[in-house]
Amino acid sequence: MEKIVRPDDMQRITTQELAEKFISEQIAEVKAQVGDKKVLLALSGGVDSSVVAALLIKAIGKQLVCVHVNHGLMRKGESEEVVEVFRNQLDANLVYVDATDRFLGLLEGEADPEKKRKIIGNEFVRVFEEEARKLEGIAFLGQGTIYPDILESDGVKAHHNVGGLPEDMQFEGLVEPVKLLYKDEVRVVGSALGLPDTMVYRQPFPGPGLGVRCLGAIDRKRLEALRESDAILREEFDNAGLTSQVWQFFTVVPDFRSTGVRDGKRAFDWPVIIRAVNTVDAMTATVPEIDWAVLKKITDRILKEVPGVCRVLYDLSPKAPATIEWE
Ligand code: XMP
């Protein structure tokens, strides 16, 4: 296996100018590698795959085929944004697969967090494989591998990074244009490529998505409450200028109900938990002191706008002993 090492003297990409130089070098390199052949890319909408997609569109246009699998566990508006940015604005060759029913069907009744993760991960590979097989003449596989992925895998090409790598499919090679970059450099390149800030500065989002935040066995109504409350949280953090101040924030909906009163009658509704953390490496994390007025506004909006929710909580637990995600 080929060892990949970032040269000691490689300049860090910190400015638009350096990013533009990197982009033109990579365009030339990708063109030389790929020629007139086709490249397949799993486009999740995360920072790395989005930047690779935008770069490859510049280099080879319609020879790039992007596949976006919506597993039904994306945050509100995320899959729509992928379609809007890549298909409508960048004119990409994009295959959009709405596999919501397949994923939610398989997850039905499964409450064990690790089994849920396995179901989602395996099905992702299966859906991606099915789509890849429908396409003809694909020679290369594009990947959003970045340098930390390579460091974590001991310098050997990091296959684990891709959302769904068809193991038994044969490719002439991998196209990994950002494999020597650190995350902050990938973001600078993404901005220089004209990607929106919502994509370039997107907070980390686990592969299993909202699946590990809709606790226990996933239920469509609870999943909807989770998606809507998460959207309100993001909107209000944005309004309060907190989006760039807090490393990761989201809501969680547990699989138990709590008593409330609605219109003078007893209600039995879901609680929503707000989780916000700051961290450097996700190994430990602290909980930021969010302004009371901001928390109150988010609480009021969730209680008013999200059906079936009667209580909102703020999780004060640091990591360790708590993990960032609830499952
Ligand atoms: P925890 O919960 O372990 O999370 O403190 C640390 C970071 O990892 C993310 N996370 C995941 N990412 N697949 C992923 O791609 C997963 O199964 C997964 N579980 C947790 C989490 O969002 C946090 O950023």
Side-chain angles (χ1 to χ4, degrees):
M1 282 266 189
E2 179 191 347
K3 272 247 178 195
I4 299 166
V5 182
R6 179 173 166 132
D8 284 342
D9 59 351
M10 186 172 147
Q11 193 170 16
R12 280 187 63 78
I13 300 170
T14 50
T15 63
Q16 162 114 6
E17 205 185 343
L18 290 169
E20 277 164 8
K21 184 165 162 272
F22 173 84
I23 292 164
S24 30
E25 284 164 8
Q26 286 306 315
I27 289 176
E29 221 169 277
V30 169
K31 278 184 170 163
Q33 183 190 4
V34 169
D36 59 1
K37 295 180 176 165
K38 284 188 188 165
V39 180
L40 176 66
L41 176 76
L43 176 59
S44 66
V47 184
D48 307 336
S49 66
S50 297
V51 171
V52 168
L55 189 58
L56 294 186
I57 290 165
K58 271 223 153 128
I60 55 169
K62 294 269 163 95
Q63 284 163 250
L64 172 72
V65 185
C66 302
V67 175
H68 176 72
V69 178
N70 178 358
H71 50 23
L73 303 164
M74 302 289 282
R75 287 176 291 201
K76 189 174 180 178
E78 263 179 341
S79 283
E80 291 81 352
E81 187 181 34
V82 170
V83 173
E84 170 57 27
V85 169
F86 288 97
R87 187 181 284 163
N88 301 347
Q89 293 175 20
L90 299 178
D91 198 27
N93 204 342
L94 171 69
V95 179
Y96 169 73
V97 192
D98 183 355
T100 302
D101 291 339
R102 269 177 79 156
F103 280 86
L104 296 189
L106 281 171
L107 286 163
E108 214 172 299
E110 183 54 70
D112 181 83
E114 291 318 308
K115 286 191 184 146
K116 284 165 70 178
R117 278 191 170 79
K118 252 198 199 115
I119 291 172
I120 298 166
N122 290 345
E123 192 60 8
F124 204 94
V125 176
R126 229 168 273 143
V127 175
F128 185 68
E129 253 176 32
E130 279 175 28
E131 293 306 318
R133 277 182 220 294
K134 289 184 201 159
L135 302 165
E136 292 199 349
I138 301 284
F140 292 91
L141 185 73
Q143 285 196 171
T145 312
I146 66 171
Y147 200 52
D149 299 329
I150 288 175
L151 290 177
E152 276 166 28
S153 62
D154 238 4
V156 175
K157 276 193 179 183
H159 284 240
H160 73 275
N161 184 48
V162 82
L165 172 62
E167 298 228 329
D168 57 345
M169 283 185 77
Q170 295 297 315
F171 294 99
E172 273 179 43
L174 298 175
V175 181
E176 299 175 298
V178 298
K179 66 174 181 287
L180 290 183
L181 304 191
Y182 287 100
K183 195 80 174 189
D184 56 312
E185 299 178 293
V186 176
R187 294 193 209 273
V188 178
V189 170
S191 289
L193 284 163
L195 289 176
D197 281 359
T198 43
M199 250 174 201
V200 171
Y201 293 98
R202 187 182 189 255
Q203 56 175 300
F205 187 54
L210 299 182
V212 289
R213 298 174 182 170
C214 188
L215 305 186
I218 297 169
D219 151 299
R220 286 188 191 238
K221 275 213 177 101
R222 223 154 36 83
L223 184 59
E224 214 33 49
L226 173 61
R227 188 173 279 125
E228 290 303 320
S229 58
D230 184 69
I232 292 170
L233 176 73
R234 285 198 281 152
E235 202 178 307
E236 291 306 328
F237 264 42
D238 238 6
N239 290 340
L242 291 171
T243 301
S244 57
Q245 308 291 311
V246 180
W247 194 79
Q248 195 176 17
F249 48 92
F250 50 86
T251 60
V252 174
V253 181
D255 54 346
F256 57 82
R257 293 176 194 255
S258 127
T259 304
V261 269
R262 206 177 282 283
D263 305 325
K265 276 191 257 152
R266 182 182 183 276
F268 201 41
D269 286 340
W270 307 111
V272 164
I273 300 153
I274 298 170
R275 182 74 168 138
V277 292
N278 277 326
T279 177
V280 175
D281 55 8
M283 300 301 286
T284 60
T286 56
V287 178
E289 281 186 38
I290 304 298
D291 188 51
W292 194 256
V294 175
L295 286 176
K296 193 168 174 318
K297 176 132 192 247
I298 295 165
T299 302
D300 289 346
R301 279 196 61 194
I302 291 175
L303 293 178
K304 198 162 148 229
E305 296 171 35
V306 185
V309 174
C310 69
R311 218 176 269 273
V312 178
L313 299 93
Y314 186 51
D315 183 351
L316 292 173
S317 330
K319 177 178 181 175
T323 50
I324 295 173
E325 302 289 346
W326 268 57
E327 280 195 337

